[in-house]
């Protein structure tokens, strides 16, 4: 019981500790955010499933897309579901 409680508290602290920038006009107007925002139809098609959602963001490989961390900077411009997906995917933002 103690192990599962400790695991739950650790997960909660990581999830709550992830801070995403507020979506401002300036941020939304950047090329990096445009790549993330303009992929809304792709996100809706894949329903934020891990590997497929990452393929919506510009880049040639999943490693490159994850390293760009575009989703971290711009998730607030897409919506809470995007930021939740970033947190679940454990990207280092």
């Amino acid at each position: 019981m103690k192990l599962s409680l400790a695991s739950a508290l650790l997960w909660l602290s990581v999830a709550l500790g992830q801070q995403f920038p507020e979506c401002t006009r300036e941020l939304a107007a950047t090329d990096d955010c445009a790549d993330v925002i303009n992929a809304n139809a792709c996100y809706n098609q894949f329903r934020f499933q891990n590997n497929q959602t990452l393929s919506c963001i510009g880049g040639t490989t999943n490693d490159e897309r994850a390293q760009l961390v575009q989703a971290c900077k711009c998730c607030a411009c897409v919506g809470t579901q995007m930021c939740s997906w970033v947190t679940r995917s454990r990207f280092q933002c």
Side-chain angles (χ1 to χ4, degrees), residues 4-65:
S4 63
L5 180 59
S7 297
L9 289 174
L10 177 64
W11 180 86
L12 183 62
S13 67
V14 169
L16 293 176
Q18 186 105 323
Q19 297 292 320
F20 301 107
E22 180 182 344
C23 182
T24 62
R25 281 187 185 172
E26 292 80 19
L27 182 62
T30 64
D31 289 339
D32 285 345
C33 283
D35 289 344
V36 175
I37 295 167
N38 292 338
N40 267 329
C42 184
Y43 303 141
N44 291 337
Q45 178 184 0
F46 293 126
R47 303 281 182 212
F48 289 92
Q49 296 174 4
N50 287 338
N51 292 336
Q52 294 165 327
T53 299
L54 196 56
S55 71
C56 296
I57 299 171
T60 55
T61 66
N62 279 350
D63 288 338
E64 181 181 312
R65 292 177 190 113

